[in-house]
Every structure is written in C-alpha cells, then in structure tokens.
C-alpha cells in the first residue's frame, strides 16, 4: 500500500545540490553557447540583444534567428517570465496532453414495476488510479437517482493509495444512509480491503482473498521506527473506523495491518465470534499479517456468503429474480483505465525530460568539480623526523573532521582548502548552462503539477511545489555567481594580446558564432594523459586516413584559440570552455584531419557550418548536429569518443555532403547544400579536457 505514489517523480531531484544586470534574458545559440543580457526587441528574422557587460552607449547587437535555438525572457534572478505577446494568437491553444472526455450520464429511467434491481459499480485496478472516490460518488448518486434496490461494489483490486482509500471510506459512509450497499469481492487487498470494511454486507467469490493492508511509503526505507509507528497507528485507527461503519469486528481490521495480533474465531449461539489468542479456528498467528481466504472470510463472519456471479449473488441475498439497473458506473469503469493510461504516458514523458535536464544541470554546474588540496609549509624550528603515513591515513580528510590515525609532524604546517577544477574561462559558460538546465527542471516540475491537477490528483502536488522552490533558489544562486571570475578572464596574467584583433569572430550565416580568437599561450606544466598503447595507436591512426596519397598541410603550429594553451608535451590543451581554431576559414572541397584525446566529456567540432557534438551530456551515445545544412540530423549510437585515448578524426566537406570518420570508420554522413559554407574549423571542450596531437587540412584540387 502506498501513501503517495506520485512522489516518485519528485525523488529525482531530492539530492540536487549546486554550488548583473537588472534583466537576465538569455539567448541559447544553435551551437550550445549561451549569452545573458537584455532582449531589446525581436521579430521573425532577428533578435536585438544587449549583451551583459556591454559599454554604456554601445549599440545593441542584431542576432539572426538562424543562429538562435531559444530565446528566454528572465527577471534579474534568471527566473523565466512571459515574453511579449505575439501579434496574432492561435484560435485554439494546443493541449499539452489529451485528457479523454468523461462519459456523459445516461437518462434516468424508472425501474421496472415490481422488480428488484441491482446497480453494479465496478471497482477494478489500483486505488488512486482506476478506483477514485470522485467516480464512486458519481456512480452512487446515479444509483440513488435510479432508485436501485441494491448497489453492488464489484471489487477486484491489489490496493493502492492510502489517502484515496480514506476518501472512499467517507463516500461509502455517506451513501450507507441513502442506499443498500453490498461489496462483492474477488481480490481485495491492502487499501481496497480497508474501505471494503465500510460496507455492511460483504460477499466473496470462490478463491478470493481479503486483507494484507500494511501501509508503506515507496522509496523511503530510511524512516525511523517512531515515524513508521506514527503512520501505522493513524492507518489502524482509520481501518477500525471503517470496520465499525460496516458493523464488522475492529480486531479484523487491526490484524490486516499489524503482525502483532493473533486471532481465532469460535461459534457462540450459532454465530462466529472473533477472539484474541490461539484457538481451534485460527485466522492469523502472531508475526503474520492477516489475509483471509473466501472460506475463512465466511467462517469468521466477515463475509455473509459466497457467490461466483451476479445471479448467484442475487440468490444468496434472496433476490433470485433481480435485474440489473444500468447507469453511468460501467461507462466510468471503462473510461478510468483509458484516462490513467494517458496520465501515465504524460508523467513518464515529464519524468524522462526531468531526468535529462537534471543531469545536464549537474554536468554543467561549475562548482561541482571540487577537490581537497594540501599546502605544506616548513617551520623554521626543526622538529621530529618526517611523518610516514599509516595504512589508515586519510590524505584528504573532510574539513573539520579529525582523523584519529593522523600524526602531524611538528616541523610542518599543513593547511587544506577546497578548490574547483573548473577553469576561470569556463566558469560563466558552465554557470549559464546550469541556469538554463535548471529553468527546464522548473518547467518540468510545473508540467508535473499541471498534469496532476488536470487528472484529479491535486493532493499530490505539495512535494513538487516544495522541490520547485528549492530548485528556484539554486538557479538564482548559480546565476548570481556567474561572473565570479569575470575580472580574471578579462585580464588573464601573462596572456598575449591578439595579433589580429580585426579577425572575424563568426562564420557565415549558416555557421555558429566563434569568440574572439588569439594566439595560444604556453603552459609548460600541462601534459596529456599517456595511455599504455599510445605509440601503437598513433601509428594505426597515421595509416588509417581515407586518402593516404593526399597532400596534407599542417595547421598545428598556426592555430589560434580562446583560452586554450600549448602544453609542455607538445600537444594543444583545450580545457573546459576553451577552443582552438584554424587560422583561416575554408569552403567546401576540404578534409580536416585531427588526432585528439577527450576526457570523456562533451566535445564540439565546428565544421561544415555545423556544430558536431560528441559525448553529449544529454544523450552520450548520440552524435548531435546543430546548425548549418545538417541541423538536427543527429545519429544515435555514433557519438561516443573513448576516454583518455587518441583517436583519428576526419571531417570532409563537399558542396553536397558532410562526412565524418573516426579511426578510419565512417561515423556520419549528411547530404545537403554545403556550397556556401566558408568557416574556420574549430575544436571546443565543454565540460572537460580535450588534447590535440595534430591538425591537418587536405584541400581538393
């Protein structure tokens, strides 16, 4: 039995932990880049945007719609707000999900004169899904209006939600005063068994079962014994109330929930009497939860008799000639499973989107990659011999937590601090990416609440509202922290000035915009990982190029970039948020060869007017294509690059196609009009490291 099954959707975000300008509008480009600032105006062709940090008096930038994936209007905390109303509104708003229309009530016709009638209300399936108090109330009201002699609750249920069962008990108690209600049960377990006890008469089908009503909360095995007992106590009281409403022994209700009871029944004056302790006719032994068979239910007096169908039920109730009085109940019984199927599909889609957006937010969070760093300083006064760590020595203990195995030598001062591995140049990009993903998480939670409301589950929206408040606070905090390293990035120590400041920063109308590029600085301490098979793999790559006879020109020494460096081992180090690019743009009829190594993180290649994304944080195995003639033509199963291994990549652009090879095997091919492409080739790291061993270009004659 479940206290709240819908809370499962909320569990995905319970462990989420993250780390201007007056307006915080966002532009999400087709290549994944994100800019913050203020949207001055927009139309079908362009968006006029004032970037955050623009000099006073500077003109706003006109950004073509072809470069924009999303426009997000935000307040000063990056909360999404409605944008300007469109000039024309659609005649009918599109529904987010199609809620099936509820069946209309049938005309009320008088019962046949002199006939005993029965009105069947099927209660099949899960309580809270296809068994609802609201539907039961409509059916009972219809039965009363039709003046049915007997109302039969045809019950076949494994149980379900506690709170819905409590509502059903109240409905049955209300209509017990207006009509004769009989329960006719097959499988009657958990929450269904408890509301069945509210019926004055219970009949069972052969081989039926009734009981097993212990409650639990799915996904919460960590509840303390006191909290668990508190919940069970309230549920036991509700079950006893239900039994008393139906005129049944409350001991039976307790035994269906608790395993402390031991019950048997005895026959006194021809009637069964429930008694505690062991006896001749045992119902349940201590340590077990009671579930009765059909014979046991009749024997102990809980059930008035057995029947296999409605004809036998009529005879058992001494109405051998009764006839069915049909109303809305059977229509509702057919309708509710269909509505539940649509609801489950809606919730499944929302849950899938929520998981994707949550994972993207976690991957983008700039403060997530943290580690403990020790700083050791020698004292002037010599002390004991240097300390040698014992097997239990914890190298990086959590701050403020003493390690009993650690001995601190007196000739050293050791301090510890927490640092992030996110580079300053990548901080803002990752912060804005995280903000956009959190905005989508908030939208998913809003959709989930709307779905619960539209399908009649308003009581389940409370936990989602609380979670949305927490996510909103995380989004606001992440946005306010976006410019943490702005000054450091604007004036990096020792950075060379761009030798060609007039170099164009963007490609053609079909290509993504690139940042301002400059000559690379050197970082002698940076070195690429050294896999065991590196030499053999590099030889394999060199002999695996598609056209071995082609004359290739090296671009390796000429590349320019954004915050990338030349490493001490002769490679190019493209850290998170940085980029390297060819010094000149190229048109079709060209092949780029690159030997690269990825840390397993999202990597972008800008080529052919498109952004090719490997190791996507959204769908890692999918090779994503954004912008350009191949925009949206992604390919599942082709997007993975191995972690910390050299791979040979070839990108061939012809006037009619873009073809991608990895380690000599074709990974991707897209047909289109690439004849107008004139763009730099670029390699960008999003949330990890990319190392470049070589970069060549082969131009067709």
């Amino acid at each position: 039995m479940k206290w709240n099954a819908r809370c499962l959707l909320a569990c995905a975000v319970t462990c989420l932990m993250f780390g201007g300008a007056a307006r915080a509008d966002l532009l999400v480009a087709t290549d994944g880049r994100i800019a913050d600032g203020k949207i001055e105006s927009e139309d079908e062709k362009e968006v006029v945007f004032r970037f955050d940090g623009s000099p006073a008096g500077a003109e706003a930038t006109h950004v073509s719609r072809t470069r924009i994936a999303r426009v997000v209007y935000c307040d000063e905390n990056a909360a999404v707000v409605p944008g300007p109303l469109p000039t024309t509104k659609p005649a009918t708003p599109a529904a987010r999900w199609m809620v099936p229309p509820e069946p209309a009530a049938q005309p009320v016709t008088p019962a046949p004169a002199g006939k005993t009638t029965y009105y069947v209300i099927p209660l099949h399936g899960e309580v809270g899904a296809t068994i609802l108090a609201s539907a039961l109330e409509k059916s009972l009201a219809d039965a009363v209006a039709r003046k049915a002699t007997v109302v039969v609750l045809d019950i076949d249920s494994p149980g379900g939600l506690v709170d819905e069962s409590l509502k059903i008990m109240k409905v049955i108690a209300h209509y017990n005063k207006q009509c004769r209600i009989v329960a006719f049960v097959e499988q009657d377990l958990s929450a269904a068994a408890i509301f069945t006890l509210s019926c004055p008469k219970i009949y069972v089908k052969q081989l039926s079962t009734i009981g097993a009503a212990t409650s639990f909360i799915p996904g919460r095995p960590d509840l303390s014994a006191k909290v668990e007992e508190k919940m069970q106590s309230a549920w036991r009281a509700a079950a006893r109330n239900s039994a008393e409403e139906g005129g049944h022994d409350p001991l039976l209700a307790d035994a269906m929930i608790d395993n402390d009871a031991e019950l048997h029944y005895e026959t006194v004056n021809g009637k069964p009497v429930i008694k505690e302790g062991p006896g001749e006719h045992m119902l349940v032994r201590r340590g077990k939860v009671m579930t009765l068979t059909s014979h046991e239910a009749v024997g102990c007096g809980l059930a008035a008799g057995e029947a296999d169908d409605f004809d036998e039920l009529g005879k058992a109730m001494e109405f051998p000639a009764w006839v069915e009085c049909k109303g809305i109940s059977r229509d509702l019984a057919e309708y509710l499973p269909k509505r539940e199927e649509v609801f489950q599909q809606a919730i499944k889609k929302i849950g899938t989107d929520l998981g994707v957006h949550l994972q993207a937010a976690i991957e983008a969070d700039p403060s997530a990659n943290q580690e403990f760093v020790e700083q050791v300083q020698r004292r002037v006064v010599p002390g004991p011999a240097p300390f040698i760590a014992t097997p239990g020595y914890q190298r990086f203990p959590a701050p403020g937590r003493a390690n009993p195995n650690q001995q601190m030598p007196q000739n050293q001062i050791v301090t510890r601090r927490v640092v992030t591995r996110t580079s300053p140049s990548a901080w803002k990009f990752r912060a804005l990416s995280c903000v956009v993903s959190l905005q989508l998480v908030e939208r998913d939670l809003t959709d989930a609440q709307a779905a619960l409301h539209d399908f009649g589950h308003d009581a389940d929206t409370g936990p989602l509202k609380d979670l949305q408040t927490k996510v909103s606070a995380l989004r606001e905090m992440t946005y306010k922290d976006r410019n943490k390293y702005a000054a450091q990035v604007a004036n990096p120590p020792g950075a060379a000035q761009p030798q060609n400041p007039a170099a164009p920063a963007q490609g053609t109308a079909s290509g993504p915009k690139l940042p301002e590029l400059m000559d690379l600085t050197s970082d002698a301490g940076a070195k690429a990982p050294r896999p065991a098979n590196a030499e053999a793999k590099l030889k394999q790559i060199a002999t695996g190029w598609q056209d071995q006879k082609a004359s290739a020109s090296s671009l390796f020494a000429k590349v320019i970039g954004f915050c990338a460096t030349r490493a001490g081992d002769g490679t190019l180090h493209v850290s998170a948020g940085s980029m390297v690019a060819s010094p000149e743009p190229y048109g079709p009829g060209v092949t780029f060869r690159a030997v690269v190594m990825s840390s397993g993180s999202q990597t972008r290649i800008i080529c052919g007017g498109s952004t090719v994304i490997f190791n996507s944080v959204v769908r890692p195995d999918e090779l994503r294509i954004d912008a350009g003639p191949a925009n949206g033509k992604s390919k599942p199963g082709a997007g993975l690059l191995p972690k910390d291994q050299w791979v040979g990549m070839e990108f061939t652009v012809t006037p009619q196609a873009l073809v991608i090879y990895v380690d000599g095997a074709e990974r991707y091919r897209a047909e289109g009009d690439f004849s107008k492409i004139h763009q730099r080739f670029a390699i960008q790291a999003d949330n990890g490291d990319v190392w470049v061993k070589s970069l060549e270009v082969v131009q067709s004659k």
Side-chain angles (χ1 to χ4, degrees):
M1 179 175 315
K2 294 173 261 188
W3 278 91
N4 200 328
R6 315 301 175 195
C7 289
L8 287 174
L9 180 66
C11 292
V13 292
T14 54
C15 60
L16 181 62
M17 294 298 294
F18 293 101
R23 280 282 295 277
D25 300 332
L26 300 174
L27 283 187
V28 182
T30 52
D31 67 348
R33 291 182 175 275
I34 303 170
D36 61 328
K38 181 181 179 182
I39 299 171
E40 305 249 327
S41 65
E42 62 171 318
D43 56 30
E44 295 179 354
K45 295 183 178 179
E46 65 178 13
V47 174
V48 181
F49 192 75
R50 188 172 299 279
F51 289 89
D52 182 38
S54 297
E59 292 186 4
T61 303
H62 294 248
V63 185
S64 172
R65 282 282 186 185
T66 60
R67 302 180 184 280
I68 300 173
R70 288 180 56 214
V71 175
V72 188
Y73 285 86
C74 307
D75 64 14
E76 66 276 6
N77 296 318
V80 178
V81 298
L85 293 176
T87 54
T88 57
K89 296 182 180 180
T92 304
R96 283 174 293 185
W97 36 75
M98 295 298 296
V99 182
E102 191 168 302
Q106 301 176 9
V108 176
T109 55
K115 291 285 187 177
T116 301
T117 59
Y118 67 96
Y119 185 102
V120 179
I121 302 179
L123 299 178
H124 299 167
E126 186 178 343
V127 179
T130 56
I131 301 177
L132 300 174
S134 57
L136 176 60
E137 188 165 18
K138 289 178 183 178
S139 297
L140 285 169
D142 187 50
V144 171
R146 296 175 188 279
K147 299 181 180 179
T149 309
V150 180
V151 178
V152 180
L153 304 186
D154 180 18
I155 302 172
D156 186 2
S157 172
L161 300 181
V162 165
D163 51 2
E164 195 66 28
S165 180
L166 296 174
K167 295 176 186 177
I168 292 173
M169 292 178 208
K170 293 180 180 179
V171 172
I172 295 175
H174 175 75
Y175 280 92
N176 272 339
K177 304 169 186 176
Q178 302 180 49
C179 57
R180 183 177 180 180
I181 300 177
V182 171
F184 187 33
V185 306
E186 186 166 2
Q187 184 188 41
D188 191 20
L189 303 175
S190 198
I194 298 304
F195 73 65
T196 298
L197 296 177
S198 294
C199 300
K201 289 289 184 180
I202 300 173
Y203 287 83
V204 292
K205 296 180 181 180
Q206 291 187 21
L207 304 179
S208 63
T209 52
I210 180 170
T214 301
S215 66
F216 69 95
I217 297 182
R220 289 301 306 275
D222 57 332
L223 290 177
S224 68
K226 288 185 178 180
V227 174
E228 180 104 15
E229 172 55 27
K230 178 181 178 181
M231 293 166 46
Q232 296 290 3
S233 176
W235 181 230
R236 284 195 301 267
R240 290 196 299 271
N241 278 335
S242 184
E244 291 171 357
E245 170 65 28
H248 308 292
D249 196 317
L251 287 174
L252 294 173
D254 272 340
M256 290 180 182
I257 297 172
D258 267 348
N259 60 1
D260 292 335
E262 189 169 39
L263 300 182
H264 71 282
Y265 70 90
E266 298 176 1
T267 302
V268 179
N269 297 325
K271 294 183 178 181
V273 177
I274 306 299
K275 292 190 175 183
E276 296 184 86
E280 183 179 355
H281 302 289
M282 291 299 300
L283 297 175
V284 62
R285 297 192 180 277
R286 197 174 305 279
K288 304 292 184 181
V289 174
M290 188 178 75
T291 303
L292 300 176
T293 66
S294 55
H295 299 307
E296 290 171 336
V298 173
C300 73
L302 176 62
E306 290 187 48
D308 277 343
D309 53 39
F310 291 108
D311 288 339
E312 287 190 14
L313 178 61
K315 294 175 183 178
M317 296 184 66
E318 300 181 352
F319 298 129
W322 70 355
V323 294
E324 184 176 357
C325 172
K326 296 183 179 180
I328 196 174
S329 60
R330 291 192 181 274
D331 292 337
L332 283 174
E334 293 180 2
Y335 160 75
L336 289 174
K338 297 176 182 177
R339 191 181 81 158
E340 178 65 14
E341 182 180 358
V342 175
F343 172 71
Q344 291 297 336
Q345 290 173 353
I347 288 295
K348 181 179 180 180
K349 182 182 184 307
I350 294 170
T352 300
D353 292 344
L354 176 63
V356 170
H357 298 147
L358 175 61
Q359 182 61 33
I362 294 173
E363 292 284 347
D365 177 23
S367 62
N369 290 332
Q370 294 183 341
E371 62 182 358
F372 293 106
V373 176
E374 282 190 347
Q375 292 178 325
V376 181
Q377 210 173 20
R378 291 283 182 184
R379 281 187 176 177
V380 177
V381 181
F387 167 67
I388 299 176
T390 62
Y393 175 67
Q394 182 181 359
R395 179 163 180 76
F396 301 131
R401 184 179 300 172
N403 190 323
N405 297 321
Q406 182 176 351
Q407 305 172 25
M408 189 65 66
Q410 295 182 10
N411 66 332
Q412 292 181 349
I413 299 175
V414 179
T415 59
R416 296 178 181 87
R417 61 191 179 93
V418 179
V419 300
T420 178
R421 291 197 293 267
T422 301
S423 67
S425 61
W427 184 276
K428 183 169 183 176
F429 170 75
R430 292 190 60 176
L432 291 178
S433 298
C434 182
V435 166
V436 170
S437 296
L438 288 174
Q439 289 174 341
L440 295 175
V441 170
E442 291 177 88
R443 186 195 67 184
D444 296 333
L445 292 174
T446 299
D447 286 348
Q449 294 171 56
L452 290 172
H453 169 76
D454 292 350
F455 288 92
H457 302 292
D458 293 273
D460 299 326
T461 60
L464 295 181
K465 291 178 181 178
D466 294 340
L467 285 164
Q468 191 165 29
T469 300
K470 295 177 181 178
V471 173
S472 298
L474 293 170
R475 179 252 308 143
E476 179 179 344
M477 178 182 67
T478 305
Y479 181 73
K480 288 182 177 180
D481 208 25
R482 72 195 186 285
N483 289 322
K484 184 173 182 179
Y485 295 105
Q488 184 174 342
V489 173
N491 301 289
Q497 295 299 316
Q499 295 188 2
N500 186 11
Q506 63 186 41
T508 65
S510 60
K513 181 178 179 180
L514 303 184
E516 186 175 31
L517 304 173
M518 62 183 67
D519 288 345
L520 305 188
T521 58
S522 297
D523 183 1
K527 293 183 180 180
R530 296 178 60 84
N533 62 342
E535 295 302 324
K537 183 61 185 292
L538 290 172
K539 290 181 181 179
Q540 179 184 348
I541 292 172
T543 58
W545 300 124
Q546 294 301 304
D547 188 354
Q548 289 290 320
K549 297 181 180 180
S551 178
S553 301
S554 176
L555 299 174
F556 191 76
K558 306 173 185 177
V559 295
I560 54 180
F562 173 74
C563 296
T565 59
R566 294 190 181 276
D569 58 358
T571 61
L572 303 180
H573 180 204
V574 188
S575 58
S578 60
M579 168 188 290
V580 293
S582 62
E584 302 294 338
Y586 290 85
V590 65
T591 296
F592 297 97
R593 298 173 175 175
V595 178
V596 302
M597 178 190 295
S598 168
S599 63
S601 54
Q602 181 166 289
T603 303
R604 299 173 187 262
I605 308 295
I606 298 173
C607 179
S610 301
T611 298
V612 183
I613 302 176
F614 293 90
N615 295 341
S616 168
V617 296
V618 179
R619 298 180 183 87
D621 68 336
E622 180 181 75
L623 192 148
R624 285 179 50 200
I625 306 291
D626 290 340
N631 183 34
K633 299 178 181 178
S634 301
K635 182 179 179 181
L640 286 178
L641 293 181
K643 181 180 179 181
D644 294 340
Q645 292 186 25
W646 292 114
V647 294
M649 307 176 73
E650 287 182 87
F651 299 81
T652 298
V653 183
T654 70
Q656 299 82 27
L658 167 65
V659 187
I660 302 172
Y661 299 89
V662 177
D663 284 342
E666 183 176 313
R667 281 275 188 103
Y668 181 83
R669 180 182 293 267
E671 307 292 335
D673 182 9
F674 294 85
S675 61
K676 299 178 182 179
I677 297 301
H678 189 69
Q679 181 191 35
R680 299 179 192 271
F681 178 86
I683 301 173
Q684 176 185 331
D686 276 355
N687 57 346
D689 293 314
V690 175
W691 304 85
V692 183
K693 186 75 172 177
S694 68
L695 178 60
E696 298 176 337
V697 60
V698 177
Q699 292 183 277
S700 301
K701 297 180 181 180

